[in-house]
Every structure is written in structure tokens, then in C-alpha cells.
């Protein structure tokens, strides 16, 4: 049966699905399906609200989500709505890291957004509340919400609590770095095992300002989730309370017809990126906000990140390059305090609308202008960690479309050295563990981009091993793949065009001189243009690694990393 789409406004009805299924006897079969699920006559005038539930027992990031989905359902029903629950998948980046499974991580972003768009539009829901935890749940959920463009709110599952061993806090990155320390002979097998067992003490997403916490924090700044919700710890009861409150806010948004594309404007994305810079967030935010902006129909390019970097300082001392975790940021005042500091400095758009129905400035009016003196997680604007943002966009003959470097925590983010070339991650990692990579080298990991990987896998294993081996400051690493939000060091990712598309990174030979200069924003292959042209003429694209299934579809459709690696840029 084909349903005619009926425009619904607050003045006439708040429920586009109900308006459709209650008109005339021809809609009786539709109603029968609802009666089968226990609906009564009065339910058909209530808004039908989707709950996109990312709960799973695949990963600790998502294994604590069911209680939040349950709280959201309770809030929807108390506010007069009908909750319609459906599932979304997840891939654990931390578990898949270094394996073939990591190639499905970025792909899962698209699958999640497809799931949400399909269910919300296929069932003609009036609104949707998305509950997610692991890295790709975040951008995937936001992209699905923007595609469907019905009133929507994001509920983050919450961060993990820190592990503990020998008097220091642990998190997922501690394990990867411990592997490098163990290989370098500075950590015993016993201590490595103890760190492995204690690093992840329970449910929640990875604890530093890694990708999940970066994206959740930015969603709060974007106006698509409630204040304070982005830095709560999953085991704490406040996450359930926030989920229930989010549901009630969503019902009001449905009544007022406040939709995602009304909120996610260019100014709102600037607010989100300002918070990403201020908190020292993940390089993955660049890729994901290019995709989010594309989905929202907002004019936003990779160069906009560099524009924002130059004016927004890093004011939070957070891992991976700093000291503290997301739980510490929450205790120090959370994202609202960070936003208020930025707002007072003129670095935030206070007039942007948020899902609460209030502007950013209205949400922040009771937040102190300066951070509390009894904490040092959040600094004042005149005493930043770094005077400029940390996510630098590097260009040059190796990356004419751009590449992304995280430059915080480095004494001197400049290196020129001989290329050590690897066409896969595993051989690169083994070279580090075998002691074959020396100070001054520039590692090149290629054929790992959106098409080449495929799926643009993350490189936490080799970068963590470099840090653990004491080479984080002295060895450069460039790749057309991605990095974990937990990565830091002399590393440059998202090199575009990628090797599989014939980018210059495919033409690098072992021993070639490469320059990484984050001061001058340059990534260069120091080889004459004539030689590069000769190599290009001889280059042949490798055969695709997948010819069927979701990987093959991703390869066929994926855009450049400089465009967000989206699948619908036609």
C-alpha cells in the first residue's frame, strides 16, 4: 500500500504517522498491526517516537545501554508518546583494532545511519531518540537523524570509569602502549597482563577525550543532546535520569516541530568544532563532521577546520596527550563550563537554537564565566594548554586534498626523514615490535584509505607501540587510514587522495625523504616532480580486496576522506 505524505504542523496535528493511519476505512489494515502490539484507540493520536537502541553485548561501550533505552521509553510514555524500539548495530573499534574486523568500523557508521533512516522513514515516525555508545554509533546516529529530519535527540551511553594499577589510572590506550613498553623491555610480562586485566573495569565508552567522548561532547555543543549528558559515566544513575529527561524534551520538540536541520546549521557546527578544539578531541572528528555537514546540507570543507584551529585554544588537559579523563572533566564542570568559557571569549555562537528549545546562551546563562579554582582540568582562556587548536590540516604534494595531524603533546611537530614503507598495518606493527624502526624514520602506511583498506581502519596498535617504545616524539607516521582517538605523537592521517586512488602516497619508495611540518602545515615528498610523474605513469591500481558484500559496496561508493568518506556524494 502506498501512503500519501501529509504535511503536519503543530496547529493541526503532532503525529504524521497517526494522521496517516486514522484517515478512513482504507487505513484499517494499518491499525490492525498496532492493535496486535497492544495499542488502544487513544494511542493513535499520540506521537510515534522511535528509540534507536544500540545496546549489545559486543562491547563494554554498548553493554550498558539497555537501561538508558528503558528510561527513554518510560520518559516518552510519561510525556504522552508511543515508544517504538528498534536496534542499531555496533562494531567495537577497540576490539577490532589491528584485525581485519577494523575495516568494518567506518562502514558501520553508514550501516547505523541507514538503519535509523530506514526505520524512521519506513514506519513514518514522528521523532527519534538515538541511544549509542561506541565510536561510530555517534556520527552514524547523527547522520541518520539528519537524513530522516524528524525531531530527534541523541542520548550518549556514557564514558567508562578508569581502571587502576600500581597507583595510576588506566584506560584502553594504556594497554596498547603497554604492549610497546613490553616489546622494548621496559615492562614485564606480569605487569602487561595485569594492565590488560584492569584497564577496562566495566561498562562505558573509552575514557579519555577519544572518539566517542569527542563526538558526544561535540553533540552537546551542536545542540542535539542535553547539557552535561556527554561526559557522564555509564555506571552512574545520572545517565538514566538524563535519558528520561531527553525523552521528555524530545516530545516537546515534536510538538514544536523542531527538527535536526533547524539546529545543525553552519554556526552550530562551528560551535561543535570549537569544543572539539578546546578539549583536544579526536582526529576522527574531522572525518565525521565532514560527513555530518554533508548530510545536513551545510557548506563545510576540510579547510574550515584549519580556520577554526587558528582561533580556538586548547583549554582542557585531557588524554591522550594530557592528564585527565572524561569523568574528571565532568566533575570539573563538564562541557557547559567549557562552552561558557568559549562563549565569554567570543568563540561560540550563543544565538544557536538547541533541542531544549532554548539557545546556547540561554542554556549557559547560569554557568560561571570562569572555571572553578579547585580544579585544573579546564583552564581559563588566558592560560590555555595551547594557544591554538590541535587538529592541523596539512597539505603538500603528498596530500593536495589535505591530511589531519594531532599536534598537541609534541615538543616539536616537525620532522624530515627517510620513508619506511608498508602496504598494510600488520607488517608495520611487526617492524616496530622487532626494533627495526629507528628515531628519525617516517613510517608510511598506505592502501588503508576508504577504498584501499577498505573502510579506512584505525592505527592504534602501531602508534601505541611507538609511544610504548619511546619513539612517539622521534618517529613520524603518515597514513591514508585513520587513527584512534587515543592516538598521539608525530602522526598524520587521512592523507588524500589515498593510495588506492593513485594519490602520491602510493608513489613513495623506501628511503625517500619526507617532511612533516605542522608549523608550516606541510606534508611533502622530497622527490623531484619529474620523478613523481614517472612513477605515476608506471603505477597500477591494485585489484580490489573485496568484490561482494558490504565491503565491496563501500569501496564502490566511498568518497575521499577529504569529503568525509560518505557514500552518497554523487
Amino acid at each position: 500500500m502506498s501512503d500519501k505524505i501529509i504535511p503536519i504542523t503543530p496547529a493541526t496535528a503532532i503525529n504524521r504517522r497517526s494522521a496517516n493511519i486514522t484517515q478512513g476505512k482504507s487505513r484499517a489494515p494499518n491499525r490492525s498491526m498496532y492493535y496486535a502490539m497492544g495499542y488502544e484507540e487513544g494511542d493513535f493520536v499520540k506521537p510515534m517516537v522511535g528509540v534507536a537502541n544500540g545496546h549489545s553485548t559486543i562491547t563494554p561501550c554498548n553493554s550498558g545501554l539497555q537501561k538508558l533505552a528503558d528510561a527513554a521509553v518510560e520518559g516518552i510514555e510519561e510525556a504522552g508518546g508511543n515508544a517504538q524500539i528498534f536496534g542499531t548495530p555496533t562494531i567495537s573499534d577497540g576490539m577490532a583494532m589491528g584485525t581485519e574486523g577494523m575495516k568494518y568500523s567506518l562502514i558501520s557508521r553508514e550501516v547505523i545511519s541507514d538503519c535509523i533512516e530506514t526505520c524512521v522513514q519506513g514506519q513514518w515516525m514522528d521523532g527519534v531518540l538515538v541511544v549509542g555508545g561506541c565510536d561510530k554509533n555517534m556520527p552514524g546516529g547523527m547522520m541518520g537523524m539528519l537524513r530522516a529530519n524528524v525531531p530527534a535527540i541523541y542520548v550518549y551511553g556514557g564514558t567508562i570509569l578508569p581502571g587502576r594499577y600500581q597507583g595510576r589510572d588506566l584506560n584502553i590506550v594504556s594497554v596498547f602502549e603497554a604492549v610497546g613498553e613490553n616489546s622494548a623491555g621496559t615492562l614485564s610480562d606480569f605487569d602487561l597482563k595485569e594492565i590488560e586485566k584492569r584497564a577496562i573495569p566495566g561498562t562505558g565508552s573509552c575514557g579519555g577525550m577519544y572518539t566517542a567522548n569527542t563526538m558526544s561532547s561535540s553533540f552537546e555543543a551542536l545542540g542535539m543532546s542535553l547539557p552535561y549528558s556527554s561526559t557522564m559515566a555509564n555506571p552512574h544513575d545520572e545517565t538514566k535520569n538524563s535519558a528520561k529527561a531527553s525523552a521528555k524534551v524530545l516530545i516537546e520538540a515534536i510538538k514544536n516541530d523542531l527538527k535536526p536541520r533547524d539546529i545543525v546549521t553552519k554556526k552550530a557546527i562551528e560551535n561543535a568544532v570549537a569544543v572539539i578544539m578546546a578539549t583536544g578531541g579526536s582526529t576522527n572528528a574531522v572525518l565525521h563532521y565532514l560527513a555530518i555537514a554533508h548530510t545536513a546540507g551545510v557548506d563545510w570543507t576540510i579547510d574550515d577546520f584549519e580556520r577554526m584551529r587558528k582561533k580556538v585554544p586548547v583549554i582542557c588537559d585531557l588524554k591522550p596527550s594530557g592528564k585527565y579523563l572524561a569523568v574528571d572533566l565532568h566533575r570539573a564542570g563538564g562541557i557547559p563550563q567549557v562552552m561558557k568559557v568559549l562563549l565569554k571569549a567570543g568563540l561560540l555562537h550563543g544565538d544557536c537554537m538547541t533541542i531544549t528549545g532554548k539557545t546556547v546562551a540561554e542554556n549557559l546563562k547560569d554557568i560561571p564565566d570562569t572555571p572553578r579554582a579547585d580544579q585544573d582540568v579546564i583552564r581559563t582562556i588566558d592560560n590555555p594548554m595551547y594557544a591554538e587548536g590541535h587538529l592541523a590540516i596539512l597539505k603538500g604534494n603528498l596530500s593536495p586534498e589535505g591530511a589531519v595531524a594531532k599536534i598537541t603533546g609534541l615538543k616539536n611537530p616537525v620532522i624530515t626523514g627517510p620513508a619506511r614503507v608498508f602496504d598494510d598495518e600488520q607488517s608495520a606493527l611487526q617492524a616496530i615490535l622487532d626494533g627495526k624502526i629507528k628515531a628519525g624514520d617516517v613510517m608510511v602506511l598506505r592502501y588503508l584509505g576508504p577504498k584501499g583498506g577498505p573502510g579506512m581502519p584505525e592505527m592504534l596498535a602501531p602508534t601505541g607501540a611507538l609511544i610504548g617504545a619511546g619513539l612517539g616524539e622521534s618517529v613520524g607516521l603518515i597514513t591514508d587510514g585513520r587513527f584512534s582517538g587515543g592516538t598521539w605523537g608525530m602522526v598524520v592521517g587521512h592523507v588524500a587522495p589515498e593510495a588506492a586512488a593513485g594519490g602520491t602516497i602510493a608513489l613513495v619508495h623506501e628511503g625517500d625523504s619526507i617532511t612533516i611540518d605542522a608549523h608550516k602545515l606541510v606534508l611533502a615528498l622530497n622527490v623531484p616532480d619529474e620523478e613523481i610523474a614517472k612513477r605515476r605513469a608506471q603505477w597500477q591500481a591494485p585489484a580490489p580486496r573485496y568484490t561482494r558484500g558490504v565491503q565491496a559496496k563501500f569501496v564502490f561508493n566511498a568518497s575521499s576522506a577529504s569529503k568525509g568518506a560518505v557514500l552518497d556524494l554523487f
Side-chain angles (χ1 to χ4, degrees):
M1 182 182 296
S2 176
D3 291 334
K4 181 180 179 181
I5 297 176
I6 302 168
I8 302 298
T9 66
T12 57
I14 61 171
N15 187 336
R16 61 180 185 154
R17 179 59 176 164
S18 292
N20 183 51
I21 66 174
T22 57
Q23 291 183 44
K25 294 180 180 179
S26 64
R27 301 306 185 204
N30 293 34
R31 292 171 64 121
S32 294
M33 302 292 281
Y34 286 88
Y35 285 132
M37 295 186 292
Y39 280 62
E40 298 178 355
E41 193 70 24
D43 289 320
F44 295 114
V45 295
K46 297 177 181 178
M48 303 290 192
V49 184
V51 176
N53 183 7
H55 173 82
S56 74
T57 56
I58 289 174
T59 169
C61 308
N62 290 54
S63 61
L65 297 187
Q66 188 59 49
K67 63 184 180 182
L68 306 189
D70 292 342
V73 169
E74 188 177 339
I76 289 167
E77 293 176 350
E78 286 183 6
N82 295 315
Q84 298 188 310
I85 307 167
F86 60 94
T88 60
T90 194
I91 296 295
S92 169
D93 292 46
M95 291 168 144
M97 202 74 66
T99 74
E100 194 73 6
M102 186 68 228
K103 296 177 180 180
Y104 286 86
S105 169
L106 184 58
I107 290 174
S108 74
R109 183 188 76 177
E110 304 303 316
V111 175
I112 291 164
S113 58
D114 287 350
C115 284
I116 292 169
E117 178 189 6
T118 299
C119 286
V120 172
Q121 297 294 67
Q123 292 299 122
W124 220 9
M125 295 172 184
D126 300 296
V128 62
L129 181 148
V130 179
V131 185
C134 202
D135 292 5
K136 305 312 171 297
N137 295 185
M138 315 297 291
M142 186 60 63
M143 291 161 67
M145 290 154 67
L146 285 163
R147 288 188 200 169
N149 201 36
V150 298
I153 193 167
Y154 202 98
V155 172
Y156 179 44
T159 187
I160 204 167
L161 294 171
R164 194 81 175 164
Y165 183 59
Q166 293 183 338
R168 68 185 181 104
D169 285 345
L170 300 175
N171 61 87
I172 183 62
V173 177
S174 306
V175 183
F176 286 91
E177 293 182 358
V179 171
E181 293 173 25
N182 179 257
S183 296
T186 58
L187 186 75
S188 70
D189 291 347
F190 177 82
D191 286 337
L192 173 60
K193 188 67 174 179
E194 290 302 304
I195 289 171
E196 182 184 40
K197 289 192 295 185
R198 299 166 187 262
I200 309 297
T203 57
S205 298
C206 297
M209 192 47 67
Y210 309 146
T211 301
N213 286 328
T214 295
M215 296 307 294
S216 68
S217 298
S218 72
F219 287 0
E220 187 175 324
L222 191 67
M224 288 298 292
S225 58
L226 294 191
Y228 295 104
S229 65
S230 66
T231 52
M232 294 175 179
N234 177 266
H236 293 166
D237 286 343
E238 63 180 340
T239 55
K240 292 189 293 184
N241 297 336
S242 182
K244 187 173 182 178
S246 297
K248 294 184 176 182
V249 165
L250 176 58
I251 295 296
E252 290 303 309
I254 293 170
K255 292 177 181 177
N256 295 315
D257 199 32
L258 179 60
K259 298 186 290 294
R261 292 186 204 170
D262 300 326
I263 296 169
V264 183
T265 62
K266 186 166 187 174
K267 288 167 67 175
I269 291 177
E270 288 186 347
N271 285 350
V273 174
V275 165
I276 291 165
M277 294 294 179
T279 56
S282 167
T283 53
N284 283 308
V286 175
L287 188 81
H288 296 325
Y289 266 94
L290 287 167
I292 288 167
H294 167 74
T295 308
V298 171
D299 181 19
W300 187 268
T301 73
I302 195 168
D303 295 323
D304 285 307
F305 291 95
E306 185 59 33
R307 173 175 61 83
M308 294 296 297
R309 184 187 74 83
K310 289 178 178 177
K311 67 179 183 178
V312 181
V314 179
I315 61 171
C316 296
D317 189 2
L318 296 167
K319 288 182 180 296
S321 55
K323 290 190 295 187
Y324 294 107
L325 297 169
V327 290
D328 302 308
L329 175 60
H330 192 61
R331 285 192 290 263
I335 294 303
Q337 182 63 79
V338 176
M339 292 178 69
K340 188 60 174 285
V341 172
L342 296 177
L343 181 66
K344 292 299 292 185
L347 297 172
L348 221 59
H349 300 291
D351 59 341
C352 286
M353 180 54 62
T354 74
I355 190 62
T356 66
K358 299 178 181 178
T359 65
V360 166
E362 289 171 337
N363 283 341
L364 299 176
K365 68 181 179 63
D366 295 327
I367 306 298
D369 291 347
T370 57
R372 298 196 322 268
D374 65 348
Q375 60 80 45
D376 61 348
V377 183
I378 307 170
R379 297 192 178 195
T380 57
I381 203 75
D382 58 355
N383 181 36
M385 296 287 294
Y386 304 94
E388 293 183 337
H390 63 301
L391 297 179
I393 306 302
L394 276 52
K395 292 189 175 182
N397 65 351
L398 260 174
S399 59
E401 292 180 11
V404 185
K406 182 189 285 187
I407 59 177
T408 46
L410 296 174
K411 298 181 181 70
N412 181 28
V414 179
I415 187 173
T416 296
R420 304 297 309 279
V421 181
F422 304 90
D423 288 349
D424 61 79
E425 178 187 0
Q426 289 71 28
S427 60
L429 174 62
Q430 196 60 51
I432 298 168
L433 298 179
D434 290 344
K436 295 179 180 178
I437 303 301
K438 307 299 182 184
D441 288 345
V442 178
M443 299 183 71
V444 179
L445 280 65
R446 63 190 182 187
Y447 294 104
L448 295 165
K451 293 180 179 295
M456 210 178 175
E458 293 180 357
M459 304 290 141
L460 182 57
T463 59
L466 284 173
I467 299 297
L471 297 171
E473 296 270 6
S474 59
V475 169
L477 188 153
I478 70 170
T479 181
D480 49 9
R482 296 182 296 125
F483 296 118
S484 162
T487 292
W488 71 278
M490 183 72 74
V491 297
V492 182
H494 309 203
V495 173
E498 63 174 293
T504 308
I505 191 172
L507 311 178
V508 179
H509 287 183
E510 183 82 10
D512 283 348
S513 173
I514 289 177
T515 294
I516 302 170
D517 190 332
H519 292 317
K520 295 181 180 179
L521 305 178
V522 168
L523 182 62
L525 174 63
N526 302 314
V527 170
D529 291 345
E530 296 80 8
E531 174 61 20
I532 293 175
K534 179 182 176 181
R535 295 179 187 181
R536 192 178 303 281
Q538 296 172 343
W539 176 81
Q540 290 185 335
R545 292 171 173 164
Y546 294 85
T547 57
R548 291 288 186 275
V550 67
Q551 291 276 13
K553 288 189 286 186
F554 189 89
V555 171
F556 185 81
N557 289 294
S559 71
S560 168
S562 66
K563 303 291 186 182
V566 295
L567 303 189
D568 59 352
L569 187 61
F570 304 125

